[in-house]
Amino acid sequence: MKAYWVANYSEIKDNERLKKYAVKAKEAVEKYSGKILARSANNIALEGDEMVRVALAEFPNVETAQKCYNSEEYIEARKHLENNVVRHHIIFEGL
């Protein structure tokens, strides 16, 4: 069953660092058979807090999504987020 990453950003301090993260993160996601489906700063909060950015990625399954998140490649990408963003990042299984 497919799995998805959803990252909701409530704060971004430096967009240039975020761009560096995005390049490295995409490489990691693709290495683990994932695909970036969407990412945008253009979103509308219908319930809850407004987000400054939202990202969605698809993986073959939860195990692969977790392996990617814990991989050396993605850990390296996340260094660009340190002291730069506030976000919630989840993995969920889809139908």
Side-chain angles (χ1 to χ4, degrees), residues 14-25 80 84:
D14 182 342
N15 279 314
E16 291 306 311
R17 287 182 62 204
L18 184 65
K19 288 177 186 176
K20 291 177 184 176
Y21 156 79
V23 169
K24 295 286 187 184
H80 295 288
N84 188 37

Side-chain angles (χ1 to χ4, degrees), residues 55-90:
L56 175 66
E58 179 183 75
F59 289 87
N61 52 54
V62 169
E63 295 78 16
T64 305
Q66 286 178 307
K67 284 180 187 175
C68 181
Y69 184 83
N70 293 314
S71 70
E72 289 181 28
E73 296 86 359
Y74 193 67
I75 290 169
E76 190 66 31
R78 288 197 322 258
K79 289 180 181 178
H80 295 288
L81 301 179
E82 292 173 5
N83 300 311
N84 188 37
V85 305
V86 176
R87 73 176 183 166
H88 291 92
H89 191 187
I90 65 168

Side-chain angles (χ1 to χ4, degrees), residues 30-69:
E30 289 175 349
K31 179 176 179 180
Y32 286 84
S33 304
K35 180 179 175 183
I36 305 292
L37 297 178
R39 60 180 179 219
S40 178
N42 186 11
N43 62 84
I44 299 167
L46 301 175
E47 295 182 21
D49 298 329
E50 190 87 22
M51 294 291 122
V52 296
R53 182 176 178 84
V54 178
L56 175 66
E58 179 183 75
F59 289 87
N61 52 54
V62 169
E63 295 78 16
T64 305
Q66 286 178 307
K67 284 180 187 175
C68 181
Y69 184 83

